[in-house]
Amino acid sequence: MLGHSHATSGALAWAGAAAALPLSILTFPVVTAGHISTVDLVMGTFLTAGAALLPDADHPNGTIAHVLGPVSHAACKVISQVSGGHRHATHSFAFVALVTIGTWAGEHWLHRWFTLGLVFFLLALAVRALNLCPPGHGISAYGTVVVLAAAGTFAMDQWISDKPTWLPFSVGLGALAHLAGDCLTDRGCRLFWPFQLRTCVPVIERTGNKVETWVLSPLFVLGTLALLWYTLVHHP
């Protein structure tokens, strides 16, 4: 799937989990009262959209590789070599567990600087994936991403806690949404890496085809908006 589709599917997953309260996993231990605040709901939507790009850290030509210019491109090349290439280790349940636990550990051991650094990176991914910056791989593209992500991080700094309990769930949920999306393609994913078994339900024959760009992606956006509205009305 394209980066835009992954980001919108991540936002949809977050909105759906929030709307399902108090039935969803977000209830425990994230919130004890059975609801999530409006501010956290909005922040979580954007951050989960960004987190839905994380598994593509193994793709040197993907959206994530160019989010911060040469720095992110070099990092993705290294991750690709270490993980075995595209759609291997980073496209598995093990990776989802790793980023979820890693986020929790970073919050508790490195505190606010880690939280804000992660917020900046996830916002940068969301900005790039949602095409809120100029196209291409030049400085005008990643420079705009940096400016917008920095502005968003500054704004969230006024509201987000040092250790938001919902953030690890947001990151894990975004990564899981990515895997679900890639399993809709004919290549599928090695969900149970390091085992060779690939899981696929080939609804999308080719990345970027009309089904994805004209049907699934718009439905993800509409679904997110509808669920956010529902949550704000029923869980004020």
Side-chain angles (χ1 to χ4, degrees):
M1 295 182 76
L2 297 173
H4 179 271
S5 300
H6 282 308
T8 52
S9 70
L12 177 63
W14 171 263
L21 287 172
L23 301 177
S24 75
I25 194 173
L26 287 172
T27 301
F28 181 81
V30 176
V31 287
T32 57
H35 71 277
I36 189 168
S37 72
T38 300
V39 173
D40 288 338
L41 176 67
V42 174
M43 289 192 295
T45 301
F46 286 101
L47 297 182
T48 311
L53 274 294
L54 290 176
D56 271 349
D58 65 357
H59 192 355
N61 295 317
T63 302
I64 189 174
H66 303 288
V67 66
L68 298 178
V71 174
S72 55
H73 186 243
C76 286
K77 289 179 68 175
V78 172
I79 293 172
S80 178
Q81 293 176 354
V82 172
S83 66
H86 187 41
R87 296 202 188 188
H88 288 273
T90 66
H91 285 66
S92 67
F93 291 136
F95 180 78
V96 174
L98 176 66
V99 294
T100 302
I101 296 171
T103 300
W104 180 89
E107 284 186 339
H108 285 76
W109 294 340
L110 302 177
H111 307 294
R112 191 165 190 80
W113 285 112
F114 173 86
T115 298
L116 293 179
L118 182 59
V119 165
F120 170 80
F121 185 59
L122 295 181
L123 285 178
L125 290 176
V127 168
R128 178 79 192 198
L130 296 175
N131 301 319
L132 301 178
C133 63
H137 303 154
I139 190 171
S140 63
Y142 64 80
T144 301
V145 169
V146 169
V147 170
L148 292 178
T153 303
F154 177 80
M156 288 192 182
D157 182 36
Q158 314 303 310
W159 301 99
I160 200 167
S161 64
D162 289 345
K163 296 182 291 185
T165 51
W166 51 264
L167 187 55
F169 291 92
S170 169
V171 172
L173 190 62
L176 194 61
H178 184 111
L179 302 190
D182 276 354
C183 283
L184 296 179
T185 66
D186 56 356
R187 286 190 59 190
C189 295
R190 291 175 59 187
L191 297 180
F192 302 97
W193 178 92
F195 300 106
Q196 294 294 326
L197 176 67
R198 282 189 178 271
T199 303
C200 67
V201 182
V203 174
I204 302 173
E205 295 181 359
R206 179 176 55 84
T207 297
N209 68 5
K210 291 183 179 180
V211 173
E212 178 183 347
T213 56
W214 292 101
V215 179
L216 291 182
S217 190
L219 285 177
F220 291 160
V221 174
L222 292 175
T224 299
L225 295 175
L227 287 168
L228 289 176
W229 175 84
Y230 174 87
T231 303
L232 291 173
V233 170
H234 293 274
H235 301 289

